[in-house]
Short mmCIF file of all heavy atoms in Angstrom, two decimals:
data_model
loop_
_atom_site.label_atom_id
_atom_site.label_comp_id
_atom_site.label_asym_id
_atom_site.label_seq_id
_atom_site.Cartn_x
_atom_site.Cartn_y
_atom_site.Cartn_z
N MET Z 1 3.23 16.73 -5.54
CA MET Z 1 3.48 15.53 -6.31
C MET Z 1 3.23 15.76 -7.78
O MET Z 1 2.17 16.24 -8.13
CB MET Z 1 2.63 14.35 -5.71
CG MET Z 1 2.98 13.00 -6.20
SD MET Z 1 1.95 11.66 -5.42
CE MET Z 1 2.78 11.42 -3.85
N ASN Z 2 4.18 15.45 -8.62
CA ASN Z 2 3.97 15.62 -9.99
C ASN Z 2 3.15 14.52 -10.60
O ASN Z 2 2.80 13.55 -9.94
CB ASN Z 2 5.24 15.92 -10.73
CG ASN Z 2 6.19 14.67 -10.86
OD1 ASN Z 2 5.70 13.56 -10.97
ND2 ASN Z 2 7.44 14.85 -10.73
N SER Z 3 2.77 14.65 -11.89
CA SER Z 3 1.87 13.61 -12.47
C SER Z 3 2.48 12.28 -12.51
O SER Z 3 1.72 11.22 -12.36
CB SER Z 3 1.41 14.10 -13.88
OG SER Z 3 2.50 14.29 -14.70
N ASP Z 4 3.78 12.15 -12.75
CA ASP Z 4 4.42 10.83 -12.83
C ASP Z 4 4.44 10.20 -11.44
O ASP Z 4 4.10 8.97 -11.26
CB ASP Z 4 5.90 10.94 -13.33
CG ASP Z 4 6.00 11.28 -14.77
OD1 ASP Z 4 4.97 11.07 -15.55
OD2 ASP Z 4 6.94 11.79 -15.16
N GLN Z 5 4.75 10.99 -10.45
CA GLN Z 5 4.73 10.54 -9.03
C GLN Z 5 3.29 10.15 -8.65
O GLN Z 5 3.11 9.08 -7.98
CB GLN Z 5 5.20 11.58 -8.08
CG GLN Z 5 6.75 11.91 -8.22
CD GLN Z 5 7.16 13.10 -7.47
OE1 GLN Z 5 6.38 14.08 -7.38
NE2 GLN Z 5 8.31 13.06 -6.89
N GLN Z 6 2.32 10.93 -9.03
CA GLN Z 6 0.90 10.63 -8.70
C GLN Z 6 0.50 9.28 -9.34
O GLN Z 6 -0.15 8.51 -8.71
CB GLN Z 6 0.03 11.76 -9.21
CG GLN Z 6 -1.43 11.59 -8.84
CD GLN Z 6 -1.69 11.62 -7.39
OE1 GLN Z 6 -1.05 12.42 -6.65
NE2 GLN Z 6 -2.69 10.86 -6.91
N ALA Z 7 0.91 9.06 -10.62
CA ALA Z 7 0.53 7.76 -11.20
C ALA Z 7 1.22 6.58 -10.54
O ALA Z 7 0.55 5.57 -10.32
CB ALA Z 7 1.00 7.80 -12.70
N LEU Z 8 2.47 6.74 -10.10
CA LEU Z 8 3.15 5.62 -9.38
C LEU Z 8 2.46 5.43 -8.05
O LEU Z 8 2.32 4.30 -7.62
CB LEU Z 8 4.60 5.91 -9.27
CG LEU Z 8 5.43 5.88 -10.49
CD1 LEU Z 8 6.86 6.41 -10.24
CD2 LEU Z 8 5.48 4.50 -11.06
N PHE Z 9 2.13 6.51 -7.36
CA PHE Z 9 1.41 6.48 -6.08
C PHE Z 9 0.16 5.74 -6.17
O PHE Z 9 -0.20 4.85 -5.42
CB PHE Z 9 1.20 7.85 -5.49
CG PHE Z 9 0.22 7.91 -4.36
CD1 PHE Z 9 0.57 7.51 -3.21
CD2 PHE Z 9 -0.99 8.50 -4.60
CE1 PHE Z 9 -0.42 7.50 -2.08
CE2 PHE Z 9 -1.94 8.55 -3.57
CZ PHE Z 9 -1.63 8.08 -2.36
N GLU Z 10 -0.66 6.06 -7.22
CA GLU Z 10 -1.98 5.40 -7.37
C GLU Z 10 -1.76 3.94 -7.69
O GLU Z 10 -2.56 3.10 -7.24
CB GLU Z 10 -2.76 6.13 -8.48
CG GLU Z 10 -3.26 7.52 -8.09
CD GLU Z 10 -3.83 8.35 -9.19
OE1 GLU Z 10 -3.99 7.78 -10.25
OE2 GLU Z 10 -4.15 9.42 -8.93
N GLY Z 11 -0.80 3.64 -8.52
CA GLY Z 11 -0.52 2.18 -8.90
C GLY Z 11 -0.05 1.43 -7.67
O GLY Z 11 -0.53 0.33 -7.46
N ALA Z 12 0.77 2.00 -6.82
CA ALA Z 12 1.19 1.32 -5.61
C ALA Z 12 0.03 1.13 -4.62
O ALA Z 12 -0.07 0.00 -4.05
CB ALA Z 12 2.29 2.12 -4.91
N THR Z 13 -0.79 2.08 -4.58
CA THR Z 13 -2.01 1.95 -3.72
C THR Z 13 -2.90 0.84 -4.20
O THR Z 13 -3.40 -0.02 -3.40
CB THR Z 13 -2.80 3.24 -3.58
OG1 THR Z 13 -1.90 4.32 -3.14
CG2 THR Z 13 -3.99 3.19 -2.72
N LYS Z 14 -3.16 0.83 -5.45
CA LYS Z 14 -3.98 -0.27 -6.04
C LYS Z 14 -3.36 -1.64 -5.84
O LYS Z 14 -4.08 -2.56 -5.45
CB LYS Z 14 -4.14 -0.02 -7.62
CG LYS Z 14 -4.98 -1.11 -8.27
CD LYS Z 14 -4.80 -1.02 -9.74
CE LYS Z 14 -5.43 -2.16 -10.52
NZ LYS Z 14 -4.91 -3.43 -10.11
N ASP Z 15 -2.10 -1.72 -6.02
CA ASP Z 15 -1.41 -3.00 -5.78
C ASP Z 15 -1.52 -3.48 -4.36
O ASP Z 15 -1.80 -4.65 -4.06
CB ASP Z 15 0.09 -2.88 -6.15
CG ASP Z 15 0.34 -2.81 -7.63
OD1 ASP Z 15 -0.57 -3.13 -8.45
OD2 ASP Z 15 1.44 -2.36 -8.03
N LEU Z 16 -1.44 -2.52 -3.43
CA LEU Z 16 -1.55 -2.86 -2.02
C LEU Z 16 -2.95 -3.35 -1.74
O LEU Z 16 -3.13 -4.34 -0.99
CB LEU Z 16 -1.26 -1.66 -1.14
CG LEU Z 16 0.19 -1.44 -0.86
CD1 LEU Z 16 0.42 -0.08 -0.11
CD2 LEU Z 16 0.79 -2.56 0.02
N VAL Z 17 -3.93 -2.68 -2.23
CA VAL Z 17 -5.31 -3.11 -2.02
C VAL Z 17 -5.55 -4.50 -2.61
O VAL Z 17 -6.14 -5.38 -1.97
CB VAL Z 17 -6.38 -2.14 -2.69
CG1 VAL Z 17 -7.77 -2.68 -2.68
CG2 VAL Z 17 -6.33 -0.82 -1.92
N ASP Z 18 -4.98 -4.78 -3.80
CA ASP Z 18 -5.07 -6.07 -4.48
C ASP Z 18 -4.49 -7.15 -3.55
O ASP Z 18 -5.02 -8.25 -3.37
CB ASP Z 18 -4.47 -6.11 -5.80
CG ASP Z 18 -5.22 -5.36 -6.86
OD1 ASP Z 18 -6.37 -5.10 -6.62
OD2 ASP Z 18 -4.64 -5.04 -7.92
N TYR Z 19 -3.31 -6.91 -2.98
CA TYR Z 19 -2.59 -7.85 -2.19
C TYR Z 19 -3.38 -8.13 -0.88
O TYR Z 19 -3.45 -9.37 -0.47
CB TYR Z 19 -1.19 -7.31 -1.80
CG TYR Z 19 -0.08 -7.68 -2.78
CD1 TYR Z 19 -0.25 -7.37 -4.19
CD2 TYR Z 19 1.07 -8.33 -2.40
CE1 TYR Z 19 0.66 -7.76 -5.08
CE2 TYR Z 19 2.03 -8.64 -3.35
CZ TYR Z 19 1.83 -8.38 -4.67
OH TYR Z 19 2.81 -8.74 -5.59
N VAL Z 20 -3.94 -7.11 -0.23
CA VAL Z 20 -4.72 -7.39 0.98
C VAL Z 20 -5.93 -8.27 0.62
O VAL Z 20 -6.25 -9.20 1.33
CB VAL Z 20 -5.10 -6.02 1.66
CG1 VAL Z 20 -6.07 -6.29 2.75
CG2 VAL Z 20 -3.90 -5.29 2.17
N MET Z 21 -6.56 -7.93 -0.47
CA MET Z 21 -7.76 -8.74 -0.89
C MET Z 21 -7.31 -10.17 -1.10
O MET Z 21 -7.92 -11.13 -0.67
CB MET Z 21 -8.39 -8.15 -2.12
CG MET Z 21 -9.06 -6.80 -1.86
SD MET Z 21 -9.69 -6.02 -3.40
CE MET Z 21 -10.85 -7.27 -4.01
N ARG Z 22 -6.25 -10.36 -1.87
CA ARG Z 22 -5.83 -11.67 -2.34
C ARG Z 22 -5.27 -12.55 -1.16
O ARG Z 22 -5.69 -13.63 -0.99
CB ARG Z 22 -4.80 -11.55 -3.37
CG ARG Z 22 -4.28 -12.90 -3.84
CD ARG Z 22 -3.17 -12.86 -4.85
NE ARG Z 22 -3.43 -11.83 -5.98
CZ ARG Z 22 -2.49 -11.17 -6.58
NH1 ARG Z 22 -1.20 -11.41 -6.32
NH2 ARG Z 22 -2.86 -10.26 -7.45
N TYR Z 23 -4.37 -12.00 -0.40
CA TYR Z 23 -3.69 -12.78 0.59
C TYR Z 23 -4.32 -12.75 1.99
O TYR Z 23 -4.07 -13.55 2.84
CB TYR Z 23 -2.20 -12.25 0.75
CG TYR Z 23 -1.45 -12.51 -0.54
CD1 TYR Z 23 -1.09 -11.47 -1.34
CD2 TYR Z 23 -1.12 -13.81 -0.94
CE1 TYR Z 23 -0.36 -11.68 -2.48
CE2 TYR Z 23 -0.45 -14.08 -2.06
CZ TYR Z 23 -0.08 -12.95 -2.86
OH TYR Z 23 0.59 -13.24 -4.04
N GLU Z 24 -5.33 -11.84 2.24
CA GLU Z 24 -6.03 -11.84 3.47
C GLU Z 24 -7.48 -12.23 3.33
O GLU Z 24 -8.19 -12.25 4.30
CB GLU Z 24 -5.77 -10.49 4.13
CG GLU Z 24 -4.38 -10.23 4.42
CD GLU Z 24 -4.08 -8.93 5.12
OE1 GLU Z 24 -4.94 -8.43 5.86
OE2 GLU Z 24 -2.96 -8.38 4.95
N GLY Z 25 -7.92 -12.39 2.09
CA GLY Z 25 -9.21 -12.84 1.81
C GLY Z 25 -10.39 -11.91 2.25
O GLY Z 25 -11.40 -12.26 2.75
N VAL Z 26 -10.11 -10.55 2.07
CA VAL Z 26 -11.09 -9.57 2.38
C VAL Z 26 -11.62 -8.95 1.09
O VAL Z 26 -11.00 -9.02 0.07
CB VAL Z 26 -10.55 -8.55 3.36
CG1 VAL Z 26 -10.15 -9.09 4.72
CG2 VAL Z 26 -9.42 -7.77 2.80
N GLU Z 27 -12.87 -8.26 1.28
CA GLU Z 27 -13.41 -7.63 0.08
C GLU Z 27 -12.79 -6.30 -0.06
O GLU Z 27 -11.94 -5.81 0.67
CB GLU Z 27 -14.94 -7.43 0.44
CG GLU Z 27 -15.65 -8.76 0.56
CD GLU Z 27 -15.77 -9.55 -0.72
OE1 GLU Z 27 -15.86 -8.93 -1.79
OE2 GLU Z 27 -15.66 -10.76 -0.69
N LEU Z 28 -13.17 -5.64 -1.18
CA LEU Z 28 -12.55 -4.35 -1.59
C LEU Z 28 -12.60 -3.30 -0.51
O LEU Z 28 -11.58 -2.70 -0.16
CB LEU Z 28 -13.26 -3.87 -2.85
CG LEU Z 28 -12.72 -2.55 -3.44
CD1 LEU Z 28 -11.28 -2.59 -3.73
CD2 LEU Z 28 -13.61 -2.11 -4.63
N ARG Z 29 -13.81 -3.04 0.02
CA ARG Z 29 -13.94 -1.92 0.96
C ARG Z 29 -13.08 -2.08 2.17
O ARG Z 29 -12.30 -1.22 2.62
CB ARG Z 29 -15.38 -1.68 1.28
CG ARG Z 29 -15.71 -0.50 2.13
CD ARG Z 29 -14.95 0.62 1.65
NE ARG Z 29 -15.45 1.91 1.43
CZ ARG Z 29 -14.59 2.94 1.26
NH1 ARG Z 29 -13.31 2.77 1.33
NH2 ARG Z 29 -15.03 4.07 1.07
N PRO Z 30 -13.10 -3.32 2.84
CA PRO Z 30 -12.23 -3.48 4.03
C PRO Z 30 -10.79 -3.42 3.68
O PRO Z 30 -9.95 -2.93 4.48
CB PRO Z 30 -12.63 -4.90 4.57
CG PRO Z 30 -13.99 -5.11 4.00
CD PRO Z 30 -14.04 -4.37 2.74
N ALA Z 31 -10.36 -3.83 2.50
CA ALA Z 31 -9.04 -3.79 2.09
C ALA Z 31 -8.59 -2.38 1.91
O ALA Z 31 -7.49 -1.92 2.31
CB ALA Z 31 -8.76 -4.57 0.78
N MET Z 32 -9.41 -1.54 1.35
CA MET Z 32 -9.22 -0.12 1.19
C MET Z 32 -9.03 0.55 2.59
O MET Z 32 -8.10 1.39 2.76
CB MET Z 32 -10.22 0.58 0.39
CG MET Z 32 -10.19 0.11 -1.07
SD MET Z 32 -11.54 0.73 -2.04
CE MET Z 32 -11.34 2.47 -1.95
N ASP Z 33 -9.87 0.20 3.48
CA ASP Z 33 -9.84 0.72 4.83
C ASP Z 33 -8.45 0.39 5.52
O ASP Z 33 -7.81 1.28 6.18
CB ASP Z 33 -10.93 0.20 5.77
CG ASP Z 33 -12.31 0.75 5.32
OD1 ASP Z 33 -12.33 1.85 4.61
OD2 ASP Z 33 -13.27 0.21 5.68
N VAL Z 34 -7.98 -0.83 5.37
CA VAL Z 34 -6.69 -1.25 5.90
C VAL Z 34 -5.59 -0.33 5.36
O VAL Z 34 -4.78 0.17 6.10
CB VAL Z 34 -6.38 -2.73 5.56
CG1 VAL Z 34 -4.92 -3.10 5.82
CG2 VAL Z 34 -7.30 -3.69 6.40
N ILE Z 35 -5.61 -0.09 4.07
CA ILE Z 35 -4.59 0.70 3.44
C ILE Z 35 -4.66 2.15 3.83
O ILE Z 35 -3.64 2.73 4.35
CB ILE Z 35 -4.63 0.58 1.88
CG1 ILE Z 35 -4.53 -0.82 1.40
CG2 ILE Z 35 -3.60 1.53 1.26
CD1 ILE Z 35 -3.31 -1.59 1.91
N TYR Z 36 -5.84 2.75 3.71
CA TYR Z 36 -6.01 4.19 3.96
C TYR Z 36 -5.77 4.52 5.39
O TYR Z 36 -5.50 5.73 5.69
CB TYR Z 36 -7.32 4.68 3.47
CG TYR Z 36 -7.50 4.63 1.95
CD1 TYR Z 36 -8.71 4.24 1.35
CD2 TYR Z 36 -6.38 4.75 1.07
CE1 TYR Z 36 -8.89 4.15 -0.03
CE2 TYR Z 36 -6.58 4.66 -0.32
CZ TYR Z 36 -7.81 4.38 -0.82
OH TYR Z 36 -7.96 4.29 -2.16
N GLN Z 37 -5.95 3.65 6.32
CA GLN Z 37 -5.81 3.96 7.68
C GLN Z 37 -4.41 3.58 8.27
O GLN Z 37 -4.19 3.79 9.40
CB GLN Z 37 -6.89 3.21 8.58
CG GLN Z 37 -8.25 3.68 8.25
CD GLN Z 37 -9.29 2.83 8.89
OE1 GLN Z 37 -9.07 1.98 9.71
NE2 GLN Z 37 -10.53 3.08 8.53
N SER Z 38 -3.56 3.14 7.37
CA SER Z 38 -2.24 2.66 7.80
C SER Z 38 -1.20 3.82 7.89
O SER Z 38 -1.34 4.92 7.11
CB SER Z 38 -1.65 1.65 6.86
OG SER Z 38 -1.33 2.19 5.62
N LYS Z 39 -0.20 3.68 8.71
CA LYS Z 39 0.89 4.67 8.67
C LYS Z 39 1.68 4.57 7.41
O LYS Z 39 2.23 5.62 6.95
CB LYS Z 39 1.83 4.31 9.90
CG LYS Z 39 1.23 4.55 11.23
CD LYS Z 39 2.15 4.15 12.34
CE LYS Z 39 1.45 4.29 13.65
NZ LYS Z 39 2.29 3.73 14.72
N LEU Z 40 1.73 3.40 6.78
CA LEU Z 40 2.39 3.27 5.55
C LEU Z 40 1.79 4.18 4.47
O LEU Z 40 2.50 4.79 3.69
CB LEU Z 40 2.44 1.81 5.07
CG LEU Z 40 2.96 1.52 3.65
CD1 LEU Z 40 4.48 1.90 3.62
CD2 LEU Z 40 2.74 0.10 3.26
N PHE Z 41 0.46 4.25 4.41
CA PHE Z 41 -0.17 5.05 3.43
C PHE Z 41 0.28 6.52 3.55
O PHE Z 41 0.46 7.22 2.59
CB PHE Z 41 -1.71 4.90 3.53
CG PHE Z 41 -2.44 5.72 2.43
CD1 PHE Z 41 -2.43 5.16 1.12
CD2 PHE Z 41 -3.08 6.83 2.70
CE1 PHE Z 41 -3.14 5.92 0.10
CE2 PHE Z 41 -3.82 7.49 1.74
CZ PHE Z 41 -3.79 7.02 0.44
N LYS Z 42 0.35 7.01 4.83
CA LYS Z 42 0.79 8.39 5.02
C LYS Z 42 2.23 8.58 4.49
O LYS Z 42 2.48 9.63 3.84
CB LYS Z 42 0.79 8.76 6.55
CG LYS Z 42 -0.58 8.57 7.15
CD LYS Z 42 -1.53 9.63 6.79
CE LYS Z 42 -2.82 9.56 7.57
NZ LYS Z 42 -3.87 8.89 6.85
N LYS Z 43 3.06 7.62 4.66
CA LYS Z 43 4.41 7.71 4.08
C LYS Z 43 4.40 7.63 2.56
O LYS Z 43 5.19 8.28 1.89
CB LYS Z 43 5.28 6.60 4.69
CG LYS Z 43 5.53 6.79 6.17
CD LYS Z 43 6.35 5.63 6.72
CE LYS Z 43 6.42 5.64 8.24
NZ LYS Z 43 7.13 4.50 8.77
N LEU Z 44 3.54 6.77 2.05
CA LEU Z 44 3.37 6.53 0.59
C LEU Z 44 2.99 7.85 -0.05
O LEU Z 44 3.44 8.15 -1.15
CB LEU Z 44 2.49 5.38 0.35
CG LEU Z 44 2.36 4.77 -1.03
CD1 LEU Z 44 3.68 4.26 -1.46
CD2 LEU Z 44 1.35 3.76 -1.07
N GLU Z 45 2.05 8.57 0.54
CA GLU Z 45 1.57 9.88 0.08
C GLU Z 45 2.66 10.91 -0.05
O GLU Z 45 2.57 11.82 -0.83
CB GLU Z 45 0.43 10.37 0.94
CG GLU Z 45 -0.87 9.73 0.74
CD GLU Z 45 -1.92 10.47 1.65
OE1 GLU Z 45 -1.75 10.57 2.84
OE2 GLU Z 45 -2.98 10.82 1.06
N ASP Z 46 3.66 10.80 0.78
CA ASP Z 46 4.72 11.86 0.92
C ASP Z 46 5.75 11.58 -0.23
O ASP Z 46 6.53 10.66 -0.07
CB ASP Z 46 5.35 11.80 2.30
CG ASP Z 46 6.48 12.86 2.46
OD1 ASP Z 46 6.77 13.52 1.49
OD2 ASP Z 46 6.96 12.92 3.51
N PRO Z 47 5.82 12.40 -1.25
CA PRO Z 47 6.75 12.11 -2.32
C PRO Z 47 8.23 12.18 -1.84
O PRO Z 47 9.07 11.57 -2.48
CB PRO Z 47 6.47 13.30 -3.31
CG PRO Z 47 5.75 14.34 -2.57
CD PRO Z 47 4.99 13.64 -1.44
N ASN Z 48 8.54 12.78 -0.72
CA ASN Z 48 9.90 12.86 -0.19
C ASN Z 48 10.39 11.47 0.25
O ASN Z 48 11.62 11.29 0.31
CB ASN Z 48 10.02 13.87 0.85
CG ASN Z 48 9.72 15.27 0.43
OD1 ASN Z 48 10.16 15.72 -0.66
ND2 ASN Z 48 8.95 16.00 1.20
N THR Z 49 9.52 10.58 0.60
CA THR Z 49 9.95 9.24 1.08
C THR Z 49 10.39 8.35 -0.12
O THR Z 49 11.20 7.47 0.08
CB THR Z 49 8.81 8.49 1.81
OG1 THR Z 49 7.77 8.20 0.87
CG2 THR Z 49 8.32 9.26 2.94
N GLY Z 50 9.86 8.61 -1.29
CA GLY Z 50 10.19 7.77 -2.47
C GLY Z 50 9.50 6.44 -2.45
O GLY Z 50 9.74 5.60 -3.27
N LEU Z 51 8.67 6.13 -1.47
CA LEU Z 51 8.09 4.81 -1.29
C LEU Z 51 7.18 4.47 -2.51
O LEU Z 51 7.00 3.28 -2.83
CB LEU Z 51 7.29 4.69 -0.04
CG LEU Z 51 8.04 4.39 1.28
CD1 LEU Z 51 7.14 4.47 2.41
CD2 LEU Z 51 8.82 3.13 1.15
N TYR Z 52 6.59 5.50 -3.16
CA TYR Z 52 5.69 5.24 -4.27
C TYR Z 52 6.48 4.48 -5.41
O TYR Z 52 5.90 3.87 -6.30
CB TYR Z 52 5.15 6.55 -4.84
CG TYR Z 52 6.22 7.57 -5.25
CD1 TYR Z 52 6.67 7.50 -6.57
CD2 TYR Z 52 6.66 8.51 -4.42
CE1 TYR Z 52 7.63 8.40 -7.00
CE2 TYR Z 52 7.68 9.37 -4.77
CZ TYR Z 52 8.10 9.33 -6.08
OH TYR Z 52 9.12 10.23 -6.52
N ARG Z 53 7.79 4.45 -5.37
CA ARG Z 53 8.61 3.82 -6.36
C ARG Z 53 8.91 2.36 -6.10
O ARG Z 53 9.46 1.60 -6.88
CB ARG Z 53 9.97 4.54 -6.60
CG ARG Z 53 9.81 5.85 -7.22
CD ARG Z 53 11.10 6.58 -7.31
NE ARG Z 53 11.46 6.95 -5.99
CZ ARG Z 53 12.44 7.83 -5.70
NH1 ARG Z 53 13.14 8.36 -6.68
NH2 ARG Z 53 12.73 8.20 -4.45
N GLU Z 54 8.60 1.93 -4.89
CA GLU Z 54 8.88 0.55 -4.39
C GLU Z 54 7.84 -0.41 -4.96
O GLU Z 54 6.77 -0.08 -5.36
CB GLU Z 54 8.87 0.47 -2.93
CG GLU Z 54 9.91 1.41 -2.27
CD GLU Z 54 11.37 0.88 -2.56
OE1 GLU Z 54 11.61 -0.22 -2.97
OE2 GLU Z 54 12.32 1.68 -2.40
N GLY Z 55 8.29 -1.68 -4.99
CA GLY Z 55 7.47 -2.79 -5.54
C GLY Z 55 6.35 -3.17 -4.57
O GLY Z 55 6.52 -2.91 -3.33
N PRO Z 56 5.31 -3.82 -5.13
CA PRO Z 56 4.20 -4.20 -4.29
C PRO Z 56 4.52 -5.17 -3.19
O PRO Z 56 3.98 -5.07 -2.05
CB PRO Z 56 3.18 -4.71 -5.19
CG PRO Z 56 3.92 -5.11 -6.44
CD PRO Z 56 5.11 -4.20 -6.47
N VAL Z 57 5.48 -6.10 -3.42
CA VAL Z 57 5.75 -7.07 -2.38
C VAL Z 57 6.48 -6.37 -1.15
O VAL Z 57 6.14 -6.61 -0.04
CB VAL Z 57 6.67 -8.19 -2.95
CG1 VAL Z 57 7.13 -9.19 -1.87
CG2 VAL Z 57 5.88 -9.06 -3.97
N TYR Z 58 7.42 -5.54 -1.46
CA TYR Z 58 8.12 -4.72 -0.49
C TYR Z 58 7.09 -3.95 0.38
O TYR Z 58 7.12 -3.94 1.58
CB TYR Z 58 9.11 -3.92 -1.09
CG TYR Z 58 9.88 -3.05 -0.13
CD1 TYR Z 58 10.88 -3.60 0.70
CD2 TYR Z 58 9.70 -1.67 -0.01
CE1 TYR Z 58 11.51 -2.85 1.66
CE2 TYR Z 58 10.35 -0.88 0.86
CZ TYR Z 58 11.29 -1.47 1.73
OH TYR Z 58 11.97 -0.67 2.68
N LEU Z 59 6.17 -3.30 -0.29
CA LEU Z 59 5.21 -2.41 0.36
C LEU Z 59 4.25 -3.26 1.20
O LEU Z 59 3.93 -2.92 2.35
CB LEU Z 59 4.47 -1.51 -0.64
CG LEU Z 59 5.30 -0.50 -1.32
CD1 LEU Z 59 4.44 0.16 -2.44
CD2 LEU Z 59 5.79 0.56 -0.34
N TYR Z 60 3.88 -4.39 0.66
CA TYR Z 60 2.95 -5.24 1.40
C TYR Z 60 3.67 -5.85 2.68
O TYR Z 60 3.06 -5.86 3.70
CB TYR Z 60 2.39 -6.37 0.48
CG TYR Z 60 1.44 -7.28 1.27
CD1 TYR Z 60 0.22 -6.87 1.70
CD2 TYR Z 60 1.73 -8.62 1.53
CE1 TYR Z 60 -0.67 -7.70 2.40
CE2 TYR Z 60 0.92 -9.47 2.22
CZ TYR Z 60 -0.30 -8.99 2.64
OH TYR Z 60 -1.16 -9.75 3.37
N ASP Z 61 4.87 -6.14 2.47
CA ASP Z 61 5.69 -6.64 3.64
C ASP Z 61 5.79 -5.58 4.69
O ASP Z 61 5.63 -5.86 5.92
CB ASP Z 61 7.08 -7.09 3.25
CG ASP Z 61 7.09 -8.44 2.56
OD1 ASP Z 61 6.15 -9.14 2.58
OD2 ASP Z 61 8.17 -8.71 1.92
N MET Z 62 5.95 -4.30 4.33
CA MET Z 62 5.96 -3.18 5.25
C MET Z 62 4.63 -3.09 5.90
O MET Z 62 4.58 -2.81 7.15
CB MET Z 62 6.37 -1.91 4.56
CG MET Z 62 7.83 -1.80 4.11
SD MET Z 62 8.14 -0.20 3.33
CE MET Z 62 7.96 0.92 4.70
N LEU Z 63 3.62 -3.19 5.22
CA LEU Z 63 2.19 -3.09 5.77
C LEU Z 63 1.98 -4.19 6.79
O LEU Z 63 1.43 -3.95 7.83
CB LEU Z 63 1.14 -3.06 4.65
CG LEU Z 63 -0.29 -3.01 5.12
CD1 LEU Z 63 -0.61 -1.62 5.69
CD2 LEU Z 63 -1.21 -3.29 3.94
N CYS Z 64 2.35 -5.36 6.51
CA CYS Z 64 2.17 -6.51 7.38
C CYS Z 64 3.00 -6.31 8.63
O CYS Z 64 2.48 -6.59 9.73
CB CYS Z 64 2.58 -7.81 6.67
SG CYS Z 64 1.45 -8.39 5.43
N GLU Z 65 4.21 -5.88 8.52
CA GLU Z 65 5.01 -5.51 9.69
C GLU Z 65 4.36 -4.50 10.56
O GLU Z 65 4.36 -4.60 11.79
CB GLU Z 65 6.38 -5.08 9.25
CG GLU Z 65 7.36 -4.85 10.43
CD GLU Z 65 8.79 -4.54 9.89
OE1 GLU Z 65 9.19 -5.03 8.88
OE2 GLU Z 65 9.35 -3.64 10.59
N GLU Z 66 3.87 -3.50 9.92
CA GLU Z 66 3.14 -2.40 10.68
C GLU Z 66 2.02 -2.98 11.49
O GLU Z 66 1.73 -2.63 12.58
CB GLU Z 66 2.68 -1.35 9.78
CG GLU Z 66 1.83 -0.23 10.38
CD GLU Z 66 1.18 0.74 9.42
OE1 GLU Z 66 1.89 1.08 8.37
OE2 GLU Z 66 0.09 1.16 9.69
N ARG Z 67 1.29 -3.90 10.88
CA ARG Z 67 0.13 -4.45 11.49
C ARG Z 67 0.38 -5.64 12.39
O ARG Z 67 -0.54 -6.17 13.03
CB ARG Z 67 -0.88 -4.89 10.36
CG ARG Z 67 -1.33 -3.71 9.60
CD ARG Z 67 -2.02 -4.05 8.27
NE ARG Z 67 -3.23 -4.88 8.51
CZ ARG Z 67 -3.59 -5.87 7.72
NH1 ARG Z 67 -2.90 -6.15 6.63
NH2 ARG Z 67 -4.70 -6.56 8.03
N GLY Z 68 1.62 -6.04 12.43
CA GLY Z 68 2.01 -7.15 13.28
C GLY Z 68 1.54 -8.58 12.81
O GLY Z 68 1.27 -9.41 13.67
N ILE Z 69 1.40 -8.68 11.46
CA ILE Z 69 1.03 -9.98 10.93
C ILE Z 69 2.07 -10.49 10.03
O ILE Z 69 2.89 -9.68 9.51
CB ILE Z 69 -0.35 -9.92 10.22
CG1 ILE Z 69 -0.27 -9.03 9.03
CG2 ILE Z 69 -1.39 -9.47 11.18
CD1 ILE Z 69 -1.50 -9.00 8.18
N ALA Z 70 2.12 -11.77 9.78
CA ALA Z 70 3.13 -12.35 8.83
C ALA Z 70 2.66 -12.10 7.34
O ALA Z 70 1.47 -12.26 7.12
CB ALA Z 70 3.18 -13.85 9.12
N SER Z 71 3.57 -11.70 6.56
CA SER Z 71 3.29 -11.54 5.19
C SER Z 71 3.00 -12.90 4.50
O SER Z 71 3.56 -13.90 4.87
CB SER Z 71 4.55 -10.95 4.43
OG SER Z 71 4.34 -10.90 3.10
N ARG Z 72 2.06 -12.91 3.67
CA ARG Z 72 1.60 -14.16 3.01
C ARG Z 72 2.11 -14.24 1.55
O ARG Z 72 1.70 -15.08 0.81
CB ARG Z 72 0.10 -14.23 3.09
CG ARG Z 72 -0.43 -14.34 4.47
CD ARG Z 72 -1.95 -14.11 4.51
NE ARG Z 72 -2.48 -14.30 5.84
CZ ARG Z 72 -2.65 -13.33 6.77
NH1 ARG Z 72 -2.24 -12.13 6.49
NH2 ARG Z 72 -3.13 -13.62 7.92
N VAL Z 73 3.00 -13.39 1.23
CA VAL Z 73 3.56 -13.38 -0.12
C VAL Z 73 4.78 -14.17 -0.16
O VAL Z 73 5.64 -14.19 0.68
CB VAL Z 73 3.85 -11.91 -0.60
CG1 VAL Z 73 4.45 -11.97 -2.02
CG2 VAL Z 73 2.64 -11.10 -0.51
#
């Protein structure tokens, strides 16, 4: 992953953590656990998927779908 991709990846990860905290009412550490343990995170880490370029709402919707919960956005 080049530096631009890395920056986008980190921003997308931060946005996902923020969304989980905001819309699911959890603290930072549990929100990070949700993200880091997800299948979506593994895909997000892979630069070949291009997911790091997607918007936070789309990524959060994907995360919610993976977890079998309704998106709150």
Side-chain angles (χ1 to χ4, degrees):
M1 194 176 276
N2 67 37
S3 61
D4 291 338
Q5 290 169 322
Q6 184 67 32
L8 290 170
F9 163 74
E10 290 172 6
T13 303
K14 179 195 172 299
D15 289 342
L16 277 172
V17 170
D18 289 343
Y19 272 53
V20 171
M21 289 174 62
R22 179 183 316 150
Y23 295 110
E24 298 180 28
V26 298
E27 297 294 323
L28 177 62
R29 187 42 134 166
M32 291 172 63
D33 289 343
V34 166
I35 303 307
Y36 295 144
Q37 295 172 9
S38 70
K39 292 177 186 174
L40 175 63
F41 185 75
K42 301 287 184 263
K43 293 176 186 174
L44 192 59
E45 281 184 308
D46 180 356
N48 295 320
T49 67
L51 281 175
Y52 61 87
R53 292 179 285 197
E54 297 294 341
V57 173
Y58 178 74
L59 293 173
Y60 181 67
D61 285 345
M62 288 181 68
L63 180 67
C64 289
E65 184 176 322
E66 173 186 327
R67 296 167 61 214
I69 64 173
S71 175
R72 295 166 175 93
V73 179

